[in-house]
Amino acid sequence: MKLILLAITSLLTSWQFMKEQTDHQMPEPSAAWQQVTVPHDWAIYGPFDRSNDLQNVTVWQNGETFPTEKTGRTGGLPYIGSAWYKTILPLQGELEGAYFLLFDGAMSEAEVFVNGQKVCFWPYGYNAFHCDITQALRAGENEIAVRLQNREQSSRWYPGAGLFRNVHLIQKPNVYVPIWGTHITTPYVTEQLASINIKTRIENALNKHIELRTLLIHKSTGEVVDSLTSHYDVKHNLPLEQNITIHNPALWSPETPHLYIARTQVYADEVYQEEVETTFGIRSVHIVPNVGFMLNGKVRKLQGVCLHHDLGPLGSAVHRDAVRRQLLLLKEMGCDAIRTSHNMPAPEQIELCDELGIMVMCEPFDEWDKAKCKNGYHRFFHEWAERDMVNMVHHFRNNPSIVMWSIGNEVPTQCAPEGYKVAKMLQDICLREDGTRPCTAGMDRVTC
């Protein structure tokens, strides 16, 4: 793979794939490795068989009191097993700055290796995560390898398998804005006036003079609507804050999905470091007691659906055009809102909801600490739930289509004596990381 290194490079081609032959050992080089492109879902190739992931379970939500055999819950497709992906990353010349791998999702229990060194582990297949690979890289060729494992009875629906979302290489200078390091809010919104608050985290900025030059651009017209240059003598590790006021803003709504770009150049001690762009929309969201949900100060009912992540016969490998077709069909039938049931969505889906004008309830979990599936997320909840929630919120908090967070779907923990404490913990994370949206949960039990 010939690599032209930009700030962000999507690693799409020149991947090799192979099912694992020996427990936790990457297969030896051979002709059996398949050349694939990423995103890739190896399970969609089949074959279909009712014996794939037979589940002898009790579905308590349906009023069942004893287990029965369930087949087809996960599509009758052979998604169970372990597999490896590998590619060669050529880096020429002296390596400077910091390097990261960003995975939009990897199904599942991802272990990432660079030149044989394990650089990170992330268990939840639906969440985006990133690894700092700076210390593991060398000039010349670098082998990137990813091991993924899907266990039986780990899902109630077809999860897909493999590197089913995009993978990106990100190069940063020595002083940089970290991944998801920009947070844009619109604390005051009317048709006449909007205030824009931009918080930018800067790594390695302590005791440096930082200059931020920000342009606000209307995305569809390219018009620069305002600009601001700010100077800071940094004595702390808090985000650097800018405030801009826009007159006669173009508001985001399902009927008028206007988008803006904040383009910020970063200088440290008068030396240019990098430029980052963040897409956002100007809109307000409120839930008013005895009134209801309000968007831009107007009450509206959400005409919504629950939408799983897969693309039917295309499987779980994300494809922007297929997602666009799916969303356009929903809009044609009158839908203006979706719930990401019941997991973090692909970024392509949220970007298209921004563009097409579809409101989103972004939801992370189908389980908390009590199981629906024998090998479900409950195995990781106590150690990973906060990290998964923080990644989700940081990843999507600038997207105007997301009008509320959900913390889970019909979780068995709701019936536990201490279940309310778990719910409060997850809600607090949402409000701590982004206090601009309401937080809800899909609960199905008035009494347990």
Side-chain angles (χ1 to χ4, degrees):
M1 175 175 58
K2 184 179 181 181
L3 179 71
I4 301 173
L5 189 59
L6 306 173
I8 302 178
T9 306
S10 294
L11 305 181
L12 306 178
T13 61
S14 300
W15 286 92
Q16 291 184 296
F17 160 78
M18 191 173 182
K19 295 290 291 294
E20 187 172 87
Q21 310 299 312
T22 306
D23 185 41
H24 246 91
Q25 296 296 316
M26 186 167 71
E28 294 295 325
S30 72
W33 283 86
Q34 301 174 39
Q35 297 289 329
V36 299
T37 57
V38 169
H40 178 253
D41 176 5
W42 56 260
I44 196 62
Y45 295 92
F48 290 93
D49 195 297
R50 75 177 300 276
S51 65
N52 287 327
D53 198 27
L54 282 176
Q55 298 186 11
N56 195 49
V57 296
T58 303
V59 182
W60 60 271
Q61 294 99 325
N62 294 346
E64 297 180 2
T65 57
F66 58 89
T68 59
E69 185 178 89
K70 307 294 193 301
T71 181
R73 298 182 94 198
T74 51
L77 284 160
Y79 79 95
I80 299 165
S82 302
W84 288 82
Y85 291 81
K86 65 178 182 178
T87 190
I88 297 297
L89 181 66
L91 297 175
Q92 305 303 325
E94 184 177 352
L95 304 185
E96 297 180 351
Y99 294 79
F100 301 87
L101 286 175
L102 170 62
F103 294 81
D104 291 342
M107 189 61 70
S108 56
E109 301 185 33
E111 297 174 84
V112 183
F113 302 84
V114 176
N115 297 324
Q117 177 182 334
K118 187 173 179 178
V119 292
C120 68
F121 168 70
W122 203 279
Y124 198 30
Y126 293 106
N127 208 356
F129 65 96
H130 47 85
C131 316
D132 187 338
I133 63 172
T134 308
Q135 299 305 314
L137 291 175
R138 59 192 178 216
E141 292 191 343
N142 295 267
E143 183 183 68
I144 310 296
V146 184
R147 181 185 187 266
L148 299 167
Q149 179 173 355
N150 282 349
R151 301 177 189 270
E152 65 176 1
Q153 295 193 38
S154 58
S155 180
R156 295 191 302 118
W157 56 81
Y158 177 65
L163 291 178
F164 73 135
R165 295 178 182 169
N166 280 297
V167 183
H168 315 276
L169 174 70
I170 299 177
Q171 183 189 21
K172 291 286 187 177
N174 292 319
V175 179
Y176 62 91
V177 180
I179 297 169
W180 311 325
T182 303
H183 185 194
I184 301 178
T185 59
T186 54
Y188 181 81
V189 174
T190 67
E191 293 181 355
Q192 294 76 37
L193 195 70
S195 59
I196 315 300
N197 177 264
I198 306 172
K199 293 184 176 70
T200 306
R201 288 176 52 212
I202 308 289
E203 293 291 331
N204 302 322
L206 202 61
N207 298 318
K208 292 182 171 60
H209 179 81
I210 299 297
E211 179 181 334
L212 301 182
R213 302 177 185 177
T214 297
L215 299 178
L216 291 189
I217 303 164
H218 193 287
K219 187 172 183 179
S220 62
T221 67
E223 176 192 1
V224 176
V225 297
D226 212 331
S227 63
L228 179 65
T229 298
S230 306
H231 296 265
Y232 313 85
D233 290 312
V234 179
K235 305 298 182 184
H236 54 71
N237 292 316
L238 298 174
L240 306 181
E241 194 165 351
Q242 294 178 294
N243 290 284
I244 301 176
T245 299
I246 295 180
H247 293 273
N248 302 314
L251 303 187
W252 187 94
S253 75
E255 294 74 30
T256 59
H258 296 290
L259 297 172
Y260 289 86
I261 295 171
R263 179 180 297 156
T264 299
Q265 293 182 339
V266 180
Y267 293 78
D269 293 335
E270 300 184 351
V271 177
Y272 172 78
Q273 301 295 317
E274 67 170 341
E275 180 177 278
V276 294
E277 285 193 354
T278 305
T279 299
F280 70 101
I282 300 174
R283 56 105 181 97
S284 65
V285 170
H286 297 96
I287 302 270
V288 179
N290 302 316
V291 175
F293 175 82
M294 302 185 73
L295 180 71
N296 297 330
K298 299 176 181 178
V299 178
R300 69 181 298 153
K301 305 293 185 183
L302 280 72
Q303 309 295 324
V305 300
C306 291
L307 185 63
H308 279 265
H309 71 291
D310 66 277
L311 295 166
L314 299 182
S316 292
V318 68
H319 190 290
R320 184 179 290 269
D321 287 345
V323 176
R324 181 187 296 275
R325 175 184 177 275
Q326 194 179 57
L327 295 175
L328 286 173
L329 287 172
L330 288 172
K331 286 210 74 169
E332 286 175 12
M333 66 180 245
C335 172
D336 66 4
I338 66 170
R339 173 191 183 196
T340 65
S341 47
H342 304 286
N343 46 260
M344 295 85 168
E348 289 84 353
Q349 184 184 65
I350 301 305
E351 291 163 8
L352 286 166
C353 286
D354 287 346
E355 174 189 323
L356 298 174
I358 298 177
M359 297 176 289
V360 178
M361 176 197 293
C362 190
E363 183 168 84
F365 305 128
D366 194 46
E367 291 181 1
W368 293 346
D369 56 343
K370 297 193 180 301
K372 285 184 181 178
C373 298
K374 180 178 70 174
N375 288 311
Y377 184 76
H378 68 275
R379 295 179 298 132
F380 303 108
F381 182 83
H382 288 297
E383 181 180 356
W384 286 91
E386 179 163 5
R387 280 181 278 185
D388 274 320
M389 290 287 289
V390 168
N391 272 24
M392 179 188 77
V393 174
H394 285 192
H395 191 183
F396 295 123
R397 62 188 175 183
N398 297 317
N399 293 92
S401 60
I402 295 183
V403 296
M404 66 182 74
W405 306 112
S406 168
I407 55 175
N409 169 65
E410 300 180 355
V411 293
T413 306
Q414 68 186 293
C415 293
E418 301 296 299
Y420 72 96
K421 292 184 178 179
V422 181
K424 181 64 163 57
M425 179 268 290
L426 296 173
Q427 181 190 50
D428 286 347
I429 294 169
C430 282
L431 299 179
R432 181 191 73 203
E433 302 299 326
D434 171 50
T436 69
R437 295 169 174 89
C439 179
T440 187
M443 297 301 189
D444 62 333
R445 294 277 165 152
V446 177
T447 60
C448 293

